[in-house]
Amino acid sequence: MKKIEVVRSPKVMTALAKECLQEGLTIGFVPTMGAFHKGHLSLVKRSTAENDVSVVSIFVNPAQFGPSEDFKRYPRDLEGDLEKLRELKVDTVFSPEPEDLYPGGYLTYVNVEGLSEGLCGTFRPGHFRGVATIVTKLFNIVLPTRAYFGQKDYQQARILQTMASDLNMDIDVIVCPIVREEDGLAMSSRNAYMDEEERRAATIIYRALTKISNMLAHGELPVSRSSDGLRNILLSEPLVDDIQYASAYDPETLEELKQDDCTGEVLLAVALKIGRTRLIDNMIVKI
Ligand code: AMP
């Protein structure tokens, strides 16, 4: 088994990355907030398969949490995470402290306009500005050739692809499929917040997405009725609270699709709360 180097200092991380690049090696990078599940590990496996060296960052980024969000109680388990990575061919874990990345006097933020405003952006103001900023910083520190993100956070992935292209970052932003539990629930570090009853209720999200996606694919529901279709199913579960959004969107622009003459791919996306836990999920449908 390989020994993973745990690096805390951004300067040391960059020095290591430069050594690799000088040797002509490609660097795969998986940015995470830790508390690993199989979704995270699928990104790591893809990185180790496609690159000479792989770096995983573990950093719960304060800049992407709102004042009333779960920054403090977000699960943290560095030792457990390192254990899960040991079987994989990861070279370096980069795990800085908040003050290493946001020292006093920090003033600079990256904002991807438009794409950051709808969907989760409406309910989490400033969230994607925090995400785009930390990912830019991590890209500048880790100097990756390719970076891996999950489709689970579809809007985030679209924002980061756009950011990399708009800012001429010479990095391939690769989006990997959603990994699900056996009952269909998309894996998430936040699933651990739910009790048994809530966890059971949460399967309604996958059931709603699957049902509406099949109906759209078979022409049994017009695209403009997707939101009603999703909401009807979601509301059949009494523990579902606060459906923040549930509808069909253009997978490129993330604009809600209200017309029926759509061809090609449609994004179905949902965000809701079960108890205090906010859950998101999505599915791409070919019409
Ligand atoms: P996080 O630690 O939640 O910031 O997630 C780190 C990366 O893992 C992000 O690119 C997520 O989109 C991705 N990810 C989270 N959950 C899943 C999942 N169930 N399947 C695939 N990728 C995921």
Side-chain angles (χ1 to χ4, degrees):
M1 235 176 290
K2 208 166 156 186
K3 183 147 174 15
I4 301 172
E5 186 161 2
V6 180
V7 176
R8 297 274 183 189
S9 146
K11 283 213 167 87
V12 171
M13 183 64 246
T14 303
L16 275 174
K18 281 186 175 165
E19 271 175 39
C20 293
L21 295 175
Q22 270 154 15
E23 286 174 38
L25 303 175
T26 56
I27 302 176
F29 178 40
V30 183
T32 80
M33 300 203 297
F36 290 161
H37 49 65
K38 288 183 187 144
H40 295 114
L41 301 181
S42 72
L43 307 186
V44 175
K45 285 181 190 157
R46 177 96 183 255
S47 172
T48 58
E50 295 180 354
N51 299 279
D52 299 316
V53 295
S54 286
V55 178
V56 176
S57 66
I58 299 179
F59 180 64
V60 185
N61 172 35
Q64 71 188 67
F65 287 80
S68 60
E69 292 187 350
D70 55 347
F71 175 68
K72 283 215 172 105
R73 70 178 187 128
Y74 195 85
R76 290 162 172 86
D77 180 17
L78 184 60
E79 279 315 306
D81 287 344
L82 290 174
E83 201 51 50
K84 290 186 180 128
L85 292 179
R86 279 196 224 291
E87 312 266 307
L88 309 176
K89 295 186 217 86
V90 170
D91 300 84
T92 306
V93 165
F94 177 50
S95 182
E97 294 298 331
E99 40 296 0
D100 294 331
L101 294 186
Y102 301 107
Y106 188 88
L107 290 172
T108 308
Y109 293 88
V110 179
N111 192 33
V112 179
E113 295 179 5
L115 287 179
S116 299
E117 281 140 33
L119 297 168
C120 289
T122 310
F123 300 91
R124 305 187 70 187
H127 170 67
F128 289 117
R129 172 185 186 255
V131 170
T133 301
I134 190 64
V135 172
T136 300
K137 287 168 69 68
L138 291 170
F139 280 1
N140 286 337
I141 293 166
V142 175
L143 308 173
T145 317
R146 301 185 184 90
Y148 298 83
F149 297 90
Q151 188 197 315
K152 160 84 184 353
D153 300 279
Y154 187 94
Q155 184 175 15
Q156 165 175 287
R158 273 297 298 134
I159 287 170
L160 296 175
Q161 281 178 324
T162 304
M163 176 186 88
S165 156
D166 287 355
L167 297 183
N168 307 87
M169 295 172 168
D170 187 16
I171 298 166
D172 272 347
V173 173
I174 295 164
V175 184
C176 304
I178 302 177
V179 177
R180 299 180 178 280
E181 302 286 354
E182 264 176 31
D183 59 12
L185 179 67
M187 290 192 184
S188 163
S189 309
R190 289 189 169 98
N191 290 351
Y193 294 158
M194 290 184 281
D195 65 25
E196 216 175 299
E197 208 186 336
E198 292 171 336
R199 172 64 188 76
R200 182 199 47 72
T203 59
I204 194 69
I205 303 172
Y206 180 69
R207 285 183 278 139
L209 286 170
T210 314
K211 173 87 180 159
I212 298 304
S213 132
N214 284 335
M215 289 178 80
L216 290 176
H218 295 109
E220 292 162 12
L221 184 79
V223 174
S224 60
R225 301 273 304 152
S226 304
S227 183
D228 293 336
L230 287 168
R231 281 167 196 272
N232 280 341
I233 301 174
L234 294 169
L235 289 171
S236 69
E237 170 50 65
L239 291 188
V240 164
D241 200 17
D242 189 15
I243 301 178
Q244 297 187 338
Y245 59 82
S247 195
Y249 304 89
D250 181 309
E252 293 287 313
T253 64
L254 305 184
E255 273 161 28
E256 188 169 1
L257 295 171
K258 297 199 168 142
Q259 72 280 23
D260 289 328
D261 55 343
C262 305
T263 48
E265 292 190 332
V266 161
L267 168 73
L268 289 179
V270 169
L272 52 75
K273 281 191 175 173
I274 291 190
R276 286 171 67 201
T277 308
R278 184 174 184 276
L279 300 171
I280 60 171
D281 200 352
N282 68 81
M283 220 171 252
I284 297 275
V285 196
K286 283 206 173 69
I287 306 276

